[in-house]
Amino acid sequence: MKNATKRLLAILLAASMAFSLTACGGKNDGGDAGNGDGAAVSSAPKALTEDEYKASFEEIFSDFQNVNSVDMTDIDAAKKTLEDMKTGMNEFIALNPPESCKDGHDKLSSGCQAMIDYIDTALGIIGETDQDKINDASTKMMESIQTAMTDMTEGATMLDEVFNK
């Protein structure tokens, strides 16, 4: 899990750098569909075991390793990479963690949502020329990245404690 924490922080830093350069220039697992009675009740998928959760976490975030190899001067490649990151973060948020991982998952999910907000804001100002809009977006991005870094670090630490008992 400590490697995953380092990966998350590297992703945040890479994304932060990517957007500073860019601004200047989920799939659904589904789970059980119900009990077949036709009721329109959405049921959450069964909670994962700790091992399943850890494996899913590592699989989702291992896909982000290519972030550092993206040419951030290639706007289309940067946009695609960032959209892929959003998809992975949404996949993570959608996981149903075991009870022992719930608090850490919730904190990491909050960090992922803040990172998604950061990405959306950054993508929204690409090519913007209105300095007031750029300044407002920059302020929002700083708030989002600070929340993302804090929540992801805290959540990863919480999960490290669960998995390293």
Side-chain angles (χ1 to χ4, degrees):
M1 257 340 235
K2 287 190 188 256
N3 285 339
T5 303
K6 289 178 186 175
R7 262 190 297 222
L8 284 172
L9 293 175
I11 290 163
L12 288 171
L13 292 172
S16 178
M17 292 181 341
F19 280 114
S20 65
L21 293 173
T22 306
C24 292
K27 74 186 172 192
N28 183 359
D29 271 342
D32 267 339
N35 58 10
D37 65 3
V41 176
S42 70
S43 62
K46 182 181 148 209
L48 300 171
T49 65
E50 283 185 10
D51 288 340
E52 292 169 332
Y53 179 78
K54 184 177 179 181
S56 295
F57 174 95
E58 291 173 350
E59 179 183 340
I60 289 168
F61 289 108
S62 71
D63 292 341
F64 293 174
Q65 291 179 351
N66 69 341
V67 169
N68 294 327
S69 65
V70 174
D71 177 6
M72 290 303 166
T73 60
D74 181 348
I75 301 297
D76 291 333
K79 285 181 183 180
K80 181 180 179 339
T81 298
L82 295 168
E83 289 295 338
D84 291 346
M85 287 176 64
K86 284 177 40 179
T87 299
M89 286 183 233
N90 280 314
E91 288 174 6
F92 174 77
I93 291 168
L95 290 177
N96 190 1
E99 191 60 36
S100 61
C101 299
K102 185 161 179 19
D103 291 340
H105 178 82
D106 289 347
K107 198 59 148 170
L108 269 171
S109 293
S110 172
C112 285
Q113 186 58 57
M115 192 65 196
I116 290 167
D117 294 344
Y118 175 88
I119 291 170
D120 287 340
T121 302
L123 289 173
I125 63 167
I126 293 174
E128 181 61 61
T129 58
D130 182 330
Q131 193 59 47
D132 289 334
K133 288 181 182 180
I134 293 170
N135 290 340
D136 290 344
S138 294
T139 299
K140 182 178 179 186
M141 288 169 57
M142 286 303 297
E143 292 168 359
S144 294
I145 199 71
Q146 288 172 342
T147 299
M149 291 178 74
T150 299
D151 288 358
M152 288 181 147
T153 300
E154 288 177 16
T157 299
M158 294 165 82
L159 290 176
D160 281 342
E161 290 172 5
V162 169
F163 291 116
N164 293 319
K165 289 185 202 181

